[in-house]
Amino acid sequence: MNGLSDDPHALFGSWYAKASRHPEIADASAANLATASKDGMPSNRMVLLKGHDASGFVIYTNLGSRKASELTANPHAALCFYWAPLSLQVRIEGSVQPVSDEEADIYFASRPLASRIGAWASKQSSPLESRGKLLARIARYTSSFALKDPGRPPFWSGFRIEPRRFEFWSEGEYRLHKRVLFEKQDNDRWERYLLYP
């Protein structure tokens, strides 16, 4: 990994673009999101990255979901991207902030109609009596929005992970992997270190 950028956001953008173009990677935006409850009990799940820039990494969810509850109660999270065909991995750790209503509205409006209706119909992470119950809710919301745009539900929005640490990993022979850590300092500058594999 010689010649790496000193800017971890730029480096992520380069690797992400490469993964997005790779024919064997179905969705480069897929990442594992790790959260923890207020008392420190961890959980993780796969999510889709919906935006990234120098301010952070954005995901969206139902605000009643477990991940939203944990991100609110304990506003720290970690993301892990693994692009196996490229033998590349990026780990990101940081604090969490809600996105603005305007930003959430813009993204929600960009989703396909069926996805917007699904967001209204789903009580994400809540117990579901039967699949039929969900399909009935979808039918009801489809009918109610037949003549109008389903705006963003008040219980649906996004979170931005603001990185304090990045780790870039590339596979090496004999498990001698290449690892580069970036840590954000109090002056907002990034320090870069090599790590043992």
Side-chain angles (χ1 to χ4, degrees):
M1 290 195 281
N2 293 331
L4 286 183
S5 170
D6 287 328
D7 178 359
H9 289 281
L11 181 56
F12 176 86
S14 173
W15 283 23
Y16 184 75
K18 187 175 181 180
S20 298
R21 293 189 300 267
H22 198 286
E24 295 177 33
I25 297 176
D27 193 341
S29 73
N32 184 276
L33 171 70
T35 59
S37 64
K38 191 172 183 179
D39 60 1
M41 180 62 68
S43 65
N44 62 4
R45 76 290 287 153
M46 298 303 293
V47 298
L48 297 179
L49 179 70
K50 294 303 180 182
H52 68 91
D53 57 24
S55 66
F57 294 76
V58 177
I59 61 155
Y60 289 91
T61 188
N62 184 306
L63 297 178
S65 67
R66 180 177 178 182
K67 64 178 169 291
S69 297
E70 291 182 353
L71 289 169
T72 301
N74 185 354
H76 304 279
L79 286 166
C80 182
F81 296 84
Y82 179 54
W83 302 302
L86 293 172
S87 299
L88 298 176
Q89 175 181 258
V90 182
R91 296 170 58 196
I92 298 163
E93 300 168 22
S95 58
V96 175
Q97 298 289 336
V99 303
S100 69
D101 287 344
E102 180 183 18
E103 188 173 355
D105 288 342
I106 290 169
Y107 172 69
F108 190 80
S110 77
R111 288 164 56 106
L113 177 60
S115 294
R116 285 179 279 158
I117 290 172
W120 276 96
S122 176
K123 299 178 181 181
Q124 191 175 350
S125 299
S126 298
L128 176 62
E129 297 167 12
S130 69
R131 187 74 179 172
K133 180 78 169 180
L134 172 61
L135 296 177
R137 286 178 60 83
I138 290 171
R140 180 160 53 89
Y141 280 104
T142 299
S143 176
S144 69
F145 288 125
L147 300 176
K148 63 179 182 176
D149 177 58
R152 179 174 63 90
F155 52 81
W156 191 97
S157 192
F159 293 91
R160 176 174 285 102
I161 295 97
E162 301 174 348
R164 299 295 303 181
R165 290 168 58 100
F166 284 83
E167 184 190 316
F168 293 86
W169 176 100
S170 64
E171 187 174 18
E173 289 187 319
Y174 310 112
R175 300 188 63 81
L176 297 177
H177 311 308
K178 298 172 184 174
R179 299 173 64 191
V180 177
L181 174 68
F182 289 82
E183 287 189 320
K184 196 169 193 178
Q185 307 302 303
D186 290 339
N187 60 6
D188 286 339
R189 294 178 61 85
W190 290 97
E191 289 289 339
R192 188 174 76 176
Y193 311 90
L194 294 178
L195 300 176
Y196 277 97

